[in-house]
Amino acid sequence: MTGSRTGALRVGWIGCGVHANEMLLPQLTRHDVEITALCDTDEARLNTTGRRYGVPEAGRLRDWRSLLSRDDLDAVGLAVGPALHHEIGLAAIARGLPLFIEKPPAPTARQAAELAEAAARRKVPVVLGFMKRYSTANRIAANVIRTKEFGDTASFLGEYMTAPTYFAGNPDYSGFYLHHCVHYFDLVPHLMGEVASVSARRHELAPGKLLLHVDFRFANGGIGTLVLGTHQSRGTPMEWWQVMGDHTRVEVRNVHEVRYFRAPPFKVSRAEASLIDGEDTLVWEPNLTAAANEDHKGYHALLGDFVRAARGEPTTAPNAADGAAAMALLEQVVAER
């Protein structure tokens, strides 16, 4: 195991596409890691990424099996698509290699469950790429929800939209479900607790323009509605959620702004009205003039937990079982017609 290892964590990375290069690898390499080997089927993409991260040609591989067979790796990262996540993930787990898997963990809930079962059986850490848990605003709001002051969660409302650009030629919307919707089938239970039941209403405005209203009932008696769709411009804010308790509610707007409402007294007719600590609304936004190394989307924090998990340290990172649970909820919703 890597828990007793000192020095940089030696990582083999499989998948050198845009997302890996622009989001994942830049944040991973801010931690104490060494990219020891890279793999991609596209030679030009592989070599560009290898040069960027100082991986020698001998460490640039076209076959993922060759990468997994190396004896100089402490952990593996995957960003290659759902079908290969499942196949490569099982192979990495069989070798005992701690694993980061970009979401989704697999194309089906059954295969995601297979990954979770294999990871549990071999006691191999697997961290899923559910970075929505890690965005600064979502983490602040989730911590508020868990306070005694907030009380029991009663209601979830939220929306997550994207544009039809990628889905007009994909009438089954599999890309939308697996790469977008799955985030919220992890985040909603993370905020509200166990889901007792889920159902959906569906409206297709035109090919590529899908609208879903997903209804939740939670084990604690709470209820919720999540709006998902592919019919909004990516040039506008498209993400918002709110959790309500009893005279409390917390909102996250456009990924970055948190608002926490309590039960303040009416102020309109009170000459002494002021802002009262413990009663009035709290608002938080990031300081965007601060250093550019602050990652409010959450990738840096998520990958930090992956590094810690690979070293054998305890984390609360989303694991393979969380990935399987999210996929199970997603499939229930997709099945609704």
Side-chain angles (χ1 to χ4, degrees), residues 2 57 75 106 163 218 222 241 310:
T2 59
E57 289 190 13
F218 300 99
W241 64 262

Side-chain angles (χ1 to χ4, degrees), residues 221-298:
I223 57 177
T225 298
L226 171 65
V227 179
L228 299 163
T230 66
H231 61 99
Q232 295 292 307
S233 168
R234 294 192 71 176
T236 64
M238 298 181 297
E239 189 168 355
W240 167 88
W241 64 262
Q242 173 198 92
V243 169
M244 287 195 291
D246 182 359
H247 278 86
T248 55
R249 73 181 188 274
V250 64
E251 298 176 358
V252 174
R253 304 182 183 191
N254 196 23
V255 183
H256 76 284
E257 179 188 318
V258 183
R259 296 191 176 202
Y260 178 30
F261 300 88
R262 277 79 66 87
F266 284 97
K267 301 182 186 296
V268 65
S269 60
R270 299 182 62 178
E272 75 280 13
S274 181
L275 295 176
I276 304 171
D277 188 28
E279 290 185 350
D280 283 297
T281 300
L282 297 175
V283 178
W284 178 89
E285 290 185 275
N287 176 10
L288 295 179
T289 64
N293 62 1
E294 292 188 350
D295 172 35
H296 292 296
K297 287 179 71 74

Side-chain angles (χ1 to χ4, degrees), residues 5-11 31-34 36 74 311:
R5 175 179 162 75
T6 59
L9 188 79
R10 301 170 301 180
V11 177
H31 299 282
D32 188 15
V33 304
E34 173 191 334
T36 303
D74 300 311
R311 291 188 181 280

